Structure formats: structure tokens, C-alpha cells
Amino acid sequence: NAGVTQTPKFQVLKTGQSMTLQCAQDMNHEYMSWYRQDPGMGLRLIHYSVGAGITDQGEVPNGYNVSRSTTEDFPLRLLSAAPSQTSVYFCASSFRLPGTSGGARTDTQYFGPGTRLTVL
Amino acid sequence: KQEVTQIPAALSVPEGENLVLNCSFTDSAIYNLQWFRQDPGKGLTSLLLIQSSQREQTSGRLNASLDKSSGRSTLYIAASQPGDSATYLCAVRKTGTASKLTFGTGTRLQVTL
């Protein structure tokens, strides 16, 4: 398994540009989420999804959109980039609880390698 | 609102020393607590997950404990090695929050030769 993959690794945008950060997982996880990591503030939840077609807002959703058309993919869209969105973005996934089949399940979160975004 | 605090923010120890990292949280209504390791410029790797009904979990030289009533968890690292140098993050999942995690800001550990 590739686990959780994210593209691109690095991106520089100008204020007002839009872009999509890609996230994919091949572990058949129901739950997927996006976090941003800023110095001194820890990771903060942007949006999350409990399954295909279902998304909800996290702690800091403004300026971001998500969709979940398949179990595997959970892209994050920046609508009009602002310097305040300069950050490192992490995608994470986990099984849905409680476990139902195929052995023991936990909601251990698996993280992608991150996308470092700079908005000028 | 759940708040997670990790003290100290940074720690430097000589190789071979046993050490304890601390994590405290304000709302004891948690489903589980997870410890992660983050290397510079990398993503997070899960180390240990403790369910709210458990008191501790062990993996190799790592032992994590949980005292839900007092809002505390500790990560014990035995016989530290330079390869343990990284930032350690704890995160709690609140009961009924569909796998959303609240993170601490981490403890940056350096193990010196």
C-alpha cells in the first residue's frame, strides 16, 4: 500500500490565485481530513469527511472547499489564496469506528507527507 | 473547547537517558489519545493510541499512559537514542466527534551523543 499520498509537495501562489491540493489513500479508509500546521499553533482541522459524498467543516474552514466523490480521494481547494493561508497542509485518513469486519480496527490516523504552501 | 498542552516545548538529553514527555487536556470526555512523531519536513507517524478505557500502551521502548480523570498522558521513552530526535505530538479525539483530533503544539526532542 502507498498509504496516504499528497501532491504537490511544494507550491507558491500569488494572492488571489486558486489551486487544489490533492490527497489520496489506498487503505479503504472511510474517514479523511485536512489539517494545517502553523508554527506555535499545532495542527488545526480544516475539513473532514466520514465517507464518499459526506463532508463537514472543522475548526478553520474559511477560504477552503472540499468534496469527496470517491472513497480514495479528498481534494482541498483554495478559492482565492491569501498570505494567511501560507502553511503546511496535511491530509489524514482512518477507519470508521466501530470495526465491523476483517479483523480489529482502530481509528489510528495515517498522515500524508504534507504540502508546503506559500502565498505571496 | 478542548485544549491540549505539551510541556516542555523542547528537551535535550544525552543518549541512553530515560525520559518522559507530558500532555495535558482540558476536557476529559475523550474517546482516545494518540501520540505521534514528526521528523523535520515530514508528515506525522502514529506511535501509540490509547483508548479511554485503557491505562497504558507499550510499543518497544515506548510506553504511553493515560489518566483521563486528571486530563494527563505521558510518553515514556527508555534508553533514548539519537534516532529518537524528533517532535512528539499528542492528540485527543473527543467523544462523538467522528475522528476529529485536537493536537498539542508538540515537544521537540534532541538526543545527543
Side-chain angles (χ1 to χ4, degrees):
Chain A
N1 288 352
V4 181
T5 58
Q6 291 183 238
T7 55
K9 292 189 188 304
F10 302 93
Q11 184 69 51
V12 178
L13 293 177
K14 294 181 180 179
T15 296
Q17 288 184 314
S18 62
M19 78 160 295
T20 299
L21 308 184
Q22 301 292 343
C23 174
Q25 53 88 14
D26 61 358
M27 297 174 282
N28 202 30
H29 285 170
E30 294 92 342
Y31 287 160
M32 296 186 74
S33 43
W34 277 101
Y35 293 86
R36 58 178 288 174
Q37 185 176 35
D38 301 293
M41 300 192 72
L43 280 86
R44 292 178 293 168
L45 182 66
I46 304 172
H47 284 286
Y48 67 100
S49 169
V50 300
I54 307 170
T55 64
D56 205 347
Q57 296 180 347
E59 184 183 355
V60 288
N62 292 342
Y64 307 95
N65 272 357
V66 292
S67 60
R68 184 94 180 271
S69 56
T70 67
T71 299
E72 294 78 19
D73 300 299
F74 191 44
L76 178 72
R77 280 182 288 276
L78 279 70
L79 309 172
S80 177
S84 61
Q85 293 179 305
T86 294
S87 187
V88 181
Y89 291 85
F90 290 102
C91 179
S93 72
S94 67
F95 279 119
R96 182 174 187 170
L97 288 177
T100 55
S101 64
R105 287 184 173 184
T106 74
D107 69 347
T108 297
Q109 299 269 325
Y110 295 86
F111 280 77
T115 294
R116 188 173 296 273
L117 175 67
T118 301
V119 183
L120 303 174
Chain B
K1 179 185 173 186
Q2 177 75 273
E3 292 184 2
V4 181
T5 304
Q6 292 186 248
I7 295 173
L11 181 64
S12 180
V13 301
E15 182 180 12
E17 192 162 299
N18 302 326
L19 61 101
V20 174
L21 306 180
N22 297 296
C23 172
S24 61
F25 46 94
T26 55
D27 186 349
S28 62
I30 66 168
Y31 191 87
N32 58 40
L33 182 145
Q34 204 164 344
W35 282 93
F36 294 89
R37 168 185 174 136
Q38 185 175 27
D39 293 288
K42 305 290 185 183
L44 281 69
T45 301
S46 179
L47 298 173
L48 290 164
L49 182 148
I50 312 178
Q51 302 292 354
S52 62
S53 58
Q54 297 175 320
R55 297 285 295 182
E56 64 180 274
Q57 280 284 346
T58 298
S59 176
R61 293 182 294 107
L62 305 179
N63 176 276
S65 67
L66 175 64
D67 185 343
K68 200 173 72 163
S69 61
S70 67
R72 293 180 182 176
S73 175
T74 61
L75 180 66
Y76 175 83
I77 303 177
S80 58
Q81 303 170 357
D84 295 330
S85 298
T87 296
Y88 291 81
L89 297 157
C90 70
V92 298
R93 179 189 163 202
K94 190 167 186 267
T95 303
T97 56
S99 205
K100 294 184 290 181
L101 300 181
T102 301
F103 282 85
T105 52
T107 294
R108 190 171 66 253
L109 173 66
Q110 183 175 10
V111 181
T112 58
L113 292 170

